[in-house]
Amino acid sequence: MNFLQLTTPRRIAQALALSASLLLAGPAPATILTFDQARTSGTVVPTFGGATVPLDYGDAVRGAAMTVPGGQFLYGEAGEGYTPNVDVEMTSGAASPVGAGVSLWETGYGDLDNVLIANNFSDFLALRLVADPGYRVGLFGFDLAGWPNTDYLIDAVRLFGPAGTLLFSLLDVAIEGDFAGPRRTSFDFAEGLFATELLLQIDFGNLAGGRHDNIGLDNLRFGQTNPLPPTSPDPDPQQVSEPGTLALLGATLLAGLLLRRRPRRLSAAAPRSR
């Protein structure tokens, strides 16, 4: 927004309302998907090789252990809280009317345990994070590694927002996995990338079709914002304070924002390995 255009009392009031909503938005809770459980014959069991991904895993997470049909799903958390207002969809290019084209595996993907994989001949693995109305969902990071303890070079990792808006893209991505050097490739978006919905796509179409399940994903960390207050209608022009009063109020809000702002952590535009 160009603040040089805020020349009328009504526009000044609208800008101050936006500033107040940012103050009230609050911190972003976060959940970590560890993929430690599957469901077979209606019962939740520890992840095993080739297990089907439970379609409700990751949805509306309210705690470290969530009671679901057949048992409990377990989740990680990094101190911020959980994500009761976000649903997760997992799919791949191998999706069909009878399945999402994704599976779970236990070991062999670098130093990761229990990973999400796309089925063979799929070209990509994708996760969609959808926030409830009034909320936003944010991606903080995830890990990738190659099987069987092998390094790969894949086409791309991309993150899209609503209407296909590209939020992040990295081409020719090195996926770690062997015993020489790092055992995984880690992505870390320190401040989070937020939107009303996000689509993460891991593109490995350059690999032979029979190797598409050799790229595993784990430790997906995502969060949600607290709901924003409802937008107020345009104020009655006869009730708007004088411009001088509004300018003083604006300066006060701006000072409050500066005092409340946390020190910015270093963000990673490209994946780091560890």
Side-chain angles (χ1 to χ4, degrees):
M1 178 180 295
N2 183 356
F3 285 95
L4 293 178
Q5 295 177 352
L6 297 175
T7 55
T8 68
R10 175 174 296 186
R11 287 184 174 177
I12 293 173
Q14 290 171 339
L16 295 179
L18 174 60
S19 299
S21 70
L22 293 175
L23 285 173
L24 295 171
T31 295
I32 302 174
L33 301 187
T34 55
F35 305 103
D36 291 336
Q37 289 81 38
R39 186 186 280 118
T40 180
S41 300
T43 301
V44 175
V45 298
T47 291
F48 60 91
T52 300
V53 181
L55 296 182
D56 52 344
Y57 181 73
D59 291 345
V61 179
R62 291 176 169 81
M66 290 285 295
T67 299
V68 295
Q72 286 189 325
F73 290 151
L74 303 180
Y75 299 96
E77 188 262 338
E80 304 95 337
Y82 293 94
T83 49
N85 301 97
V86 176
D87 284 344
V88 179
E89 302 170 11
M90 308 173 210
T91 188
S92 78
S96 71
V98 297
V102 291
S103 301
L104 301 173
W105 204 265
E106 311 115 300
T107 60
Y109 290 80
D111 62 353
L112 301 178
D113 293 321
N114 301 332
V115 300
L116 174 71
I117 60 175
N119 295 345
N120 277 333
F121 302 97
S122 56
D123 289 330
F124 67 87
L125 171 67
L127 292 94
R128 186 183 303 275
L129 309 173
V130 182
D132 289 344
Y135 293 80
R136 293 189 305 155
V137 59
L139 180 65
F140 292 107
F142 56 93
D143 296 323
L144 298 172
W147 185 92
N149 297 311
T150 301
D151 291 350
Y152 294 91
L153 185 71
I154 65 171
D155 277 340
V157 172
R158 300 183 180 92
L159 183 68
F160 299 93
T165 303
L166 184 63
L167 302 179
F168 173 83
S169 178
L170 186 66
L171 305 180
D172 299 324
V173 183
I175 304 300
E176 305 286 351
D178 68 13
F179 293 95
R183 305 294 316 283
R184 67 179 74 177
T185 298
S186 294
F187 286 74
D188 184 10
F189 306 108
E191 301 298 329
L193 298 174
F194 281 83
T196 53
E197 70 175 72
L198 297 170
L199 175 65
L200 174 64
Q201 185 180 78
I202 314 300
D203 182 352
F204 36 72
N206 59 303
L207 302 181
R211 292 187 173 184
H212 289 175
D213 62 351
N214 288 7
I215 306 300
L217 181 147
D218 197 8
N219 302 319
L220 185 89
R221 182 173 170 232
F222 64 99
Q224 68 174 57
T225 59
N226 293 331
L228 295 174
T231 302
S232 300
D234 286 348
D236 185 341
Q238 295 179 354
Q239 298 178 0
V240 173
S241 303
E242 291 298 322
T245 303
L246 288 168
L248 177 60
L249 178 57
T252 302
L253 282 174
L254 178 59
L257 281 171
L258 293 175
L259 288 173
R260 292 169 60 95
R261 185 175 181 179
R262 296 179 179 176
R264 180 178 178 86
R265 292 181 293 165
L266 294 177
S267 60
R272 58 176 176 82
S273 299
R274 63 184 182 204

